[in-house]
Each structure stands twice: as C-alpha cells, then as structure tokens.
Amino acid sequence: MRNQLAHDASASLTSADMKQLARLVDNLTAIDPTFAPVGKRYVELPVARPGGPITFGTDTLRIDFLIATCTFLGLAVKVTISMTR
C-alpha cells in the first residue's frame, strides 16, 4: 500500500486497503495490551469539520487513513520512549 501511494500519483485508497491497514494496526495489541483498536478511535477537526468527533469507519477513507496512521505512530512513539528509559 505504501509503495502504491508513494509511487503512483493517481493511486487512491480502497476499502480493502483500509481494512488491511486497520487489521495490521490492531495487531499491535501484541506489543501493548492496553492499546485501543482502531475501530474505537476518533479524530476531532473543529475548524474543518465542526460538530464532534469522527470515528473510524464512519466517514471517508482519507479520515480512516489519518486515524490508523496516527494510531500506529502514537504507539511507535510510546514504545520508543519506554525503551529509552
């Protein structure tokens, strides 16, 4: 998926891509049992999209991609910090 999006300017996400990404990110519970799955995550965009939180799977694939990648990055940072202590 990364190569497809990085090397093809006309590439777009499909729902199958997003399901795969969510599944892979959810597998991170093996690293941190307190990790909340992607399906329980949300983002708030009060300026661009006022009206409350947007939960994973309820809006566009672009929003779902944002939630999934931020979830992954958040856990990666948490693990990295814990390893340096």
Side-chain angles (χ1 to χ4, degrees), residues 6-7 19 23 52 81:
H7 299 291
K19 286 178 185 175
R23 186 175 42 39
I81 290 171

Side-chain angles (χ1 to χ4, degrees), residues 1-83:
M1 181 185 325
R2 181 247 172 236
N3 286 341
Q4 172 188 354
L5 294 173
H7 299 291
D8 183 1
S10 65
S12 62
L13 290 170
T14 66
S15 60
D17 292 334
M18 194 55 14
K19 286 178 185 175
Q20 179 185 13
L21 179 60
R23 186 175 42 39
L24 292 170
V25 171
D26 284 346
N27 286 338
L28 296 175
T29 56
I31 296 171
D32 182 0
T34 64
F35 175 78
V38 174
K40 293 185 178 183
R41 304 276 180 159
Y42 65 91
V43 65
E44 291 189 51
L45 305 169
V47 173
R49 297 246 185 116
I54 304 167
T55 56
F56 184 87
T58 63
D59 204 84
T60 65
L61 293 176
R62 180 179 243 173
I63 296 291
D64 289 348
F65 183 79
L66 172 72
I67 294 169
T69 54
C70 287
T71 300
F72 169 77
L73 288 173
L75 185 59
V77 168
K78 180 180 175 182
V79 168
T80 302
I81 290 171
S82 70
M83 291 173 65

